[in-house]
Structures are given as structure tokens and as C-alpha cells.
């Protein structure tokens, strides 16, 4: 669409002889200034549009009288010029001043039904405001000449090759329009562990002028569809959630994802998303599901995290700084156990030391007695008992370790 609103196109129109008609092709949205050859002083300047008076400027008094076609903020005069701002289709026509005529064409390019198109749908490109044949069209990607030269051309089944700038070239004026071609997007291959859940992606990247009217997901063991079910012609899934498939509950516009839950090896294979649009265009997208065997059935973890959609997950599989929560918990628990072990080792060693000291003390006290008459001495009994208390100490340490470990790791 032309948008050069603020640029004045100054047309240098030279006076050749009265009655000469200039034919002008101008882009919609532009401003234009029509210049009338100078009049003899005292002559009224009369601007007409299609033979109806637009404005008359009194040659003697300089006052102006505006006709019904004159629109403030659209037309204004300055000297011998008539200026028109923001040209629209209805500004086209035959303008005249006493010594000159101008035929003004206001040209613009339209795409019907729009510039965002579904793959394989049709589009009409119209170079409006041109009532002459031929028109040269330049097509994407690099402005090659298009074989048809009518002001209106129809592309019956657009593909990505038709995406880009289409230019209407008329009388040196180039006006372009940009087409975008969209299709259903999915992911070609998806892997999911057996027992896991997976989102089957199917969506349009943009809204298009074509409304989706029905559609479905199919696979060898699955056939679910949607249709216009509510009174506002809003599209929704027809089915209810089952033990196999979850549907979104809102209105469907560009996203037709579904979610398979507790995927089994028998679910592997091709899944096809089909959407029908107003006007009969039908698009499909297919994805291959591969089920990875041997993984735990209880797990609900999805291998492919499609387009940022978070799969269902328990609190234990939540990511914390890029690592799953259960890993953090396991690391924390083992650290606690380790610290416990260190503390108990230190305590036991200290106790051993204390005990040894005490034994040494006892021995040194006993020394004089043992020299000759220890056989007779009753204290030997007490010594044996003490030794019994001292020596087994290293044993409880091992027992304690062996006792702590399994409890804490589980
Ligand atoms: C296409 O049209 C736009 C808006 O009128 C203009 O700015 C742009 O320069 C044009 N591109 C070409 C290649 O002519
Ligand atoms: C299906 O289940 C999902 C997730 O539990 C929920 O968001 C959705 O609203 C349900 N859809 C329908 C149609 O009940």
C-alpha cells in the first residue's frame, strides 16, 4: 500500500498551448500539486473537477469562492497551483484551469482476500486506478516480469515461491505489495518415552483472511475432529478428553495442537493434522511419533519439548538452575550424611584418645604393683574389665557407619 503521504510530488508542467491535457499516474497516499500556466492579470482562476467548479479565485480582489466539491484539508490553492493531499481513488478525474487540463489517475495495488495467504489458496492482485491495458507486473523473488499484463491477475494456487514483492509498473510508476504464504507447521519427528505424554504440534504462524471451518487429527488408531459447534461459529474441538488424548478447551484459531498421554509402543507412527478453510482450501501437516521403549511407565516426562510448551511434570522434575529438583535433593541429602559421618568420626577419635589416656594412666598406676606380686593382687581383675571397655571402641564406629548409610540414601 502506498504510504508516501508527506512527500509533495511537484509536477513541472510546462505550458505548451491552452487545452493541452497532461495524463498523470500517481500513487495513492501521495500529495500532488497541479500547476496552471500564468493567467493575464485580472483574469479569474477557476479550478474544475470533472467540469464542476472546485474553486474560483477572483482575479481582481483575490477572494476565493469554493464549490461543493472543494474539501478543506484536501484541496488548497497557492498562486497558480492547486494542491491535493493524500490522494485517494475518488480524487481521480479530470482537473482543469483556464489554460490547462489534467487527467489524474490514482493508482494503488490490492490483494484480495489479503496479503497473508494459505498455501494453495488463490489471490487476486489488482492494480487499481489504471484503466488502460497493459500493465506490467513484476514478481518475486527478484522482480522478474510476469507473463500476464492485465490490471488484475489471479494466482490460483500460491506457494512459497509467490511470497514477496509484487509490483505494478504503469507509466513509470512502480507500486508494490508484499505477499506472505503460510502453511500448517508441525514437527517432523517426535520421540517420546513409553508411558510419557507428548504434544502433537499443528499451527499456523499467522492469522490469515481464511477462517478455519473444520479439521481433524488422524492416525491408524486415532480419529479426532473439530467443527463449528457454537452459535458464534467459533471453532472448537468436538471431542472430550479421553485417557489417550487431551484437547484444548478454548476457541481454535491458529493452533490445533493436541496432547497424547501415556503413550504406548502401539501409538507409534504417523499422525496427520488436516484443517479446512473457508473457500475450500485444505492444509495438512504430518508428524512421526517414535516411542522409546524400556523407560519407566510411571514417568510423565516428554522428550521433545515442542515450541516451548511445557509438558506435564511433577514437582520433582521441575528445573532449578537447569538441573532437575530431585538431583538437588539427592545432592543435599548425601551432603548431610557426609557431614554426619565426619562429625561422628571426629567424636569417636576423641573418645578413643581419652580412653587411651586413661588406660595409660591406669597402667602407670599399676606398674609398681605388677613388678613382683601381681599374681596375688586382686586389682588385676579390675584392669581386665577396663581393657574390655577400651578395646572394643573401634568396632562401634564401623557399626555406626554401616547403620547410617542405607537410611540416608533412601
Ligand atoms: C515498495 O513499496 C514501499 C511502499 O510504497 C516502498 O517504500 C518501497 O521502496 C517499494 N519497494 C520497491 C522495491 O520498489
Ligand atoms: C482437557 O484437559 C486439559 C488438561 O487437563 C484441559 O486444560 C482442557 O480444558 C480439557 N479439555 C476439555 C475439552 O475438557
Amino acid at each position: 500500500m502506498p504510504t508516501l503521504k508527506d512527500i509533495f510530488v511537484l509536477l513541472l508542467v510546462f505550458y505548451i498551448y491552452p487545452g493541452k491535457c497532461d495524463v498523470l499516474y500517481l500513487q495513492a497516499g501521495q500529495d500532488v500539486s497541479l500547476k496552471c500556466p500564468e493567467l493575464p492579470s485580472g483574469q479569474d482562476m477557476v479550478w474544475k473537477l470533472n467540469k464542476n467548479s472546485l474553486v474560483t479565485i477572483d482575479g481582481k480582489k483575490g477572494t476565493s469562492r469554493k464549490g461543493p466539491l472543494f474539501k478543506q484539508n484536501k484541496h488548497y490553492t497557492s498562486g497558480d497551483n492547486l494542491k491535493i493531499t493524500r490522494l485517494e481513488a475518488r480524487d481521480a478525474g479530470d482537473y482543469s484551469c483556464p489554460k490547462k487540463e489534467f487527467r489524474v489517475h490514482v493508482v494503488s495495488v490490492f490483494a484480495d482476500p489479503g496479503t497473508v495467504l494459505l498455501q494453495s489458496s488463490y489471490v487476486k492482485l489488482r492494480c487499481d486506478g489504471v484503466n488502460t491495458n497493459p500493465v506490467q507486473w513484476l514478481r518475486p523473488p527478484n522482480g522478474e516480469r510476469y507473463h500476464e499484463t492485465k490490471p488484475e491477475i489471479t494466482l490460483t494456487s500460491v506457494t512459497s515461491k509467490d511470497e514477496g514483492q509484487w509490483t505494478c509498473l504503469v507509466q513509470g510508476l512502480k507500486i508494490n505489495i508484499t505477499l506472505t504464504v503460510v502453511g500448517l507447521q508441525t514437527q517432523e519427528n517426535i520421540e517420546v518415552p513409553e508411558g510419557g505424554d507428548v504434544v502433537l504440534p499443528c499451527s499456523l504462524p499467522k492469522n490469515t483472511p481464511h477462517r478455519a471451518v473444520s479439521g481433524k487429527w488422524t492416525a491408524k488408531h486415532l480419529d479426532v475432529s473439530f467443527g463449528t459447534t457454537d452459535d458464534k461459529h467459533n471453532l472448537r474441538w468436538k471431542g472430550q478428553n479421553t485417557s489417550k488424548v487431551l484437547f484444548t478447551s478454548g476457541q481454535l484459531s491458529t493452533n490445533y495442537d493436541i496432547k497424547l498421554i501415556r503413550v504406548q509402543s502401539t501409538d507409534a507412527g504417523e499422525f496427520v493434522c488436516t484443517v479446512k478453510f473457508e473457500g475450500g482450501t485444505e492444509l495438512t501437516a504430518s508428524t512421526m511419533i517414535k516411542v522409546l521403549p524400556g523407560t519407566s511407565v510411571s514417568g510423565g516426562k516428554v522428550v521433545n519439548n515442542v515450541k516451548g510448551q511445557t509438558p506435564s511434570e511433577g514437582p520433582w522434575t521441575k528445573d532449578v538452575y537447569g538441573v532437575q529438583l530431585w538431583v538437588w535433593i539427592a545432592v543435599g541429602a548425601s551432603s548431610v550424611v557426609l557431614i554426619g559421618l565426619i562429625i561422628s568420626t571426629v567424636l569417636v577419635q576423641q573418645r578413643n584418645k581419652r580412653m587411651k589416656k586413661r588406660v595409660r594412666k591406669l597402667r602407670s598406676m599399676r606398674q609398681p604393683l605388677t613388678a613382683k606380686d601381681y599374681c596375688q593382687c586382686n586389682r588385676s581383675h579390675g584392669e581386665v574389665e577396663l581393657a574390655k571397655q577400651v578395646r572394643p571402641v573401634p568396632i562401634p564406629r564401623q557399626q555406626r557407619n554401616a547403620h547410617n548409610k542405607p537410611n540416608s540414601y533412601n
Side-chain angles (χ1 to χ4, degrees):
M1 270 330 104
T3 51
L4 303 170
K5 280 178 182 165
D6 306 320
I7 297 174
F8 254 84
V9 178
L10 289 171
L11 298 164
L12 301 175
V13 178
F14 296 101
Y15 173 82
I16 299 172
Y17 60 90
K20 152 84 174 157
C21 180
D22 277 8
V23 180
L24 306 172
Y25 287 88
L26 301 165
Q27 187 169 356
Q30 282 185 329
D31 296 348
V32 68
S33 182
L34 305 176
K35 185 172 171 52
C36 192
E38 207 176 307
L39 300 180
S41 67
Q43 189 182 338
D44 289 355
M45 174 68 86
V46 184
W47 280 103
K48 289 182 176 172
L49 169 54
N50 300 328
K51 300 206 158 52
N52 298 306
S53 172
L54 202 55
V55 58
T56 304
I57 299 150
D58 191 300
K60 296 188 187 79
K61 297 181 221 153
T63 55
S64 63
R65 199 171 64 249
K66 284 152 193 157
L69 293 178
F70 193 92
K71 292 187 186 66
Q72 303 292 348
N73 304 322
K74 174 65 129 174
H75 304 111
Y76 57 102
T77 54
S78 94
D80 299 326
N81 295 346
L82 173 72
K83 295 183 183 177
I84 312 165
T85 59
R86 294 185 299 281
L87 284 167
E88 300 165 64
R90 59 193 174 136
D91 295 324
D94 291 332
Y95 290 80
S96 69
C97 70
K99 286 189 169 180
K100 201 166 168 69
E101 287 178 8
F102 306 84
R103 174 156 292 170
V104 172
H105 294 276
V106 179
V107 186
S108 49
V109 177
F110 290 101
D112 179 23
T115 55
V116 180
L117 303 160
L118 295 172
Q119 258 163 22
S120 78
S121 68
Y122 79 95
V123 64
K124 278 184 186 163
L125 296 179
R126 204 166 65 240
C127 201
D128 239 13
V130 184
N131 41 24
T132 55
N133 275 326
V135 157
Q136 182 63 60
W137 287 95
L138 306 178
R139 60 154 300 146
N142 298 311
E144 297 86 356
R145 285 167 176 265
Y146 188 65
H147 62 274
E148 275 190 75
T149 55
K150 284 180 278 180
E152 180 172 295
I153 55 174
T154 303
L155 313 177
T156 48
S157 175
V158 295
T159 67
S160 56
K161 285 181 189 157
D162 300 316
E163 218 171 38
Q165 250 179 25
W166 285 81
T167 304
C168 168
L169 181 59
V170 52
Q171 304 291 323
L173 185 67
K174 277 181 170 184
I175 302 175
N176 67 66
I177 194 166
T178 301
L179 299 183
T180 307
V181 177
V182 301
L184 285 179
Q185 293 185 332
T186 186
Q187 192 176 329
E188 265 178 52
N189 294 293
I190 297 179
E191 290 181 349
V192 57
E194 194 169 0
D197 303 346
V198 67
V199 171
L200 304 184
C202 178
S203 63
L204 287 174
K206 282 182 172 184
N207 264 311
T208 73
H210 302 272
R211 203 165 54 91
V213 290
S214 69
K216 61 188 173 183
W217 269 100
T218 47
K220 59 182 192 294
H221 60 292
L222 178 81
D223 192 347
V224 291
S225 58
F226 49 86
T228 45
T229 53
D230 74 7
D231 48 359
K232 287 179 198 130
H233 298 291
N234 289 334
L235 197 59
R236 288 168 196 278
W237 286 105
K238 269 182 190 162
Q240 293 297 315
N241 283 342
T242 65
S243 58
K244 177 65 68 190
V245 189
L246 296 186
F247 303 102
T248 51
S249 48
Q251 187 191 336
L252 297 168
S253 62
T254 57
N255 189 320
Y256 316 103
D257 293 358
I258 57 171
K259 188 172 185 176
L260 289 188
I261 49 174
R262 293 184 283 280
V263 175
Q264 298 306 307
S265 56
T266 49
D267 295 331
E270 188 180 32
F271 285 75
V272 180
C273 171
T274 307
V275 184
K276 276 187 190 158
F277 297 88
E278 245 172 8
T281 304
E282 185 175 300
L283 296 180
T284 61
S286 79
T287 182
M288 284 299 287
I289 299 291
K290 189 178 171 195
V291 180
L292 304 176
T295 38
S296 105
V297 176
S298 61
K301 204 175 147 262
V302 173
V303 167
N304 290 73
N305 195 355
V306 178
K307 282 182 286 166
Q309 280 162 0
T310 41
S312 75
E313 47 188 21
W316 306 115
T317 54
K318 208 163 122 188
D319 267 14
V320 179
Y321 297 115
V323 180
Q324 289 190 341
L325 194 57
W326 68 267
V327 178
W328 287 114
I329 290 170
V331 169
S334 36
S335 312
V336 168
V337 170
L338 206 66
I339 291 167
L341 282 177
I342 291 168
I343 290 173
S344 48
T345 309
V346 169
L347 286 179
V348 167
Q349 270 177 355
Q350 279 179 352
R351 196 173 141 208
N352 281 357
K353 257 187 219 162
R354 267 203 314 274
M355 289 300 195
K356 271 179 195 158
K357 250 189 208 165
R358 220 162 128 194
V359 170
R360 251 182 264 130
K361 214 171 161 186
L362 282 172
R363 275 197 187 134
S364 60
M365 279 168 71
R366 199 186 53 171
Q367 216 60 45
L369 296 173
T370 53
K372 284 152 197 166
D373 49 3
Y374 86 81
C375 290
Q376 301 148 4
C377 187
N378 283 338
R379 274 175 201 165
S380 62
H381 177 68
E383 187 208 330
V384 169
E385 276 204 336
L386 265 177
K388 261 185 195 164
Q389 277 177 13
V390 172
R391 285 210 188 95
V393 161
I395 296 160
R397 191 204 313 179
Q398 285 164 354
Q399 279 175 346
R400 192 180 289 181
N401 292 355
H403 182 70
N404 273 349
K405 262 185 202 163
N407 275 347
S408 313
Y409 274 100
N410 278 336

